[in-house]
Amino acid sequence: MRWLEDYYNEFAMRMTEFMGAVETRSVLASCIEISRDVTSGAYYKALMTCRKLFDFEQERLSYDPSSLSEHAAHY
């Protein structure tokens, strides 16, 4: 099942990249839980844990650095 190994290697690489860019402890803990579940074949459980990251992701994707400049200008 070479294809399964290829998918896992891609997953592991992307998870490593994501974890290297994140400092939030709860998100890192979720990533570890997801990785553990994927490794054990509990894919649905891993997907359910991924849902916990949606709010974090939405917060980061809607980040507007210009709002910081506007806020700082008022001080």
Side-chain angles (χ1 to χ4, degrees):
M1 292 218 270
R2 173 83 177 133
W3 60 271
L4 187 57
E5 184 179 326
D6 290 342
Y7 283 124
Y8 177 78
N9 289 338
E10 184 71 22
F11 162 78
M13 184 170 48
R14 299 295 170 228
M15 184 61 84
T16 300
E17 290 172 348
F18 180 72
M19 290 177 73
V22 173
E23 296 179 359
T24 307
R25 293 175 67 87
S26 62
V27 172
L28 291 171
S30 291
C31 289
I32 292 168
E33 186 178 342
I34 292 164
S35 295
R36 192 176 303 135
D37 289 340
V38 167
T39 300
S40 68
Y43 305 116
Y44 184 76
K45 187 176 177 187
L47 285 172
M48 294 307 294
T49 305
C50 285
R51 292 186 65 149
K52 295 178 186 177
L53 300 178
F54 287 174
D55 289 338
F56 173 80
E57 179 184 31
Q58 184 59 42
E59 180 182 317
R60 295 306 188 267
L61 290 175
S62 63
Y63 173 73
D64 181 13
S66 66
S67 67
L68 291 177
S69 298
E70 292 170 16
H71 181 72
H74 299 315
Y75 284 94

